[in-house]
Amino acid sequence: MLAKTENIRTRTAQSEADTRLKEEKIKVSQADRNLKEQQARLLEAATLALERYARTGNLVDADFEVIDQLKEIGVKIPAKVSAKKLKQTNGMKRDNGEQ
């Protein structure tokens, strides 16, 4: 009888551990999904900022926030290239007059 009771306790403990593990996996999955959604929103904001910069040549405060967020997640933002090194013709960037 004692062995049977011990076996039931062991199976119950195993079942509880499995349930906790499944709950943790669900939490991790939800966190991963939330992160991917945030990254998608950030990518969309960055795309809009780049489009706005391409049209106007200016960045607004929100664009700088997007750039800071990109830096925080490890995206390398290139430094501004001087006009001497890079010529622009009709919106196309040229290096030393070649495309």
Side-chain angles (χ1 to χ4, degrees), residues 31-44:
D32 188 47
R33 185 174 36 253
N34 289 340
L35 177 61
K36 287 179 181 179
E37 289 173 1
Q38 289 175 342
Q39 288 174 337
R41 286 193 300 271
L42 180 58
L43 178 60
E44 183 179 347

Side-chain angles (χ1 to χ4, degrees), residues 11-61:
R11 287 188 304 186
T12 302
Q14 182 65 41
S15 177
E16 289 172 355
D18 289 344
T19 300
R20 284 192 300 273
L21 180 61
K22 287 177 186 176
E23 290 171 351
E24 288 299 316
K25 285 182 179 181
I26 290 170
K27 287 179 185 178
V28 167
S29 176
Q30 288 172 339
D32 188 47
R33 185 174 36 253
N34 289 340
L35 177 61
K36 287 179 181 179
E37 289 173 1
Q38 289 175 342
Q39 288 174 337
R41 286 193 300 271
L42 180 58
L43 178 60
E44 183 179 347
T47 301
L48 292 173
L50 289 172
E51 288 173 354
R52 186 171 29 256
Y53 182 70
R55 282 192 315 271
T56 65
N58 294 320
L59 295 172
V60 296
D61 290 341

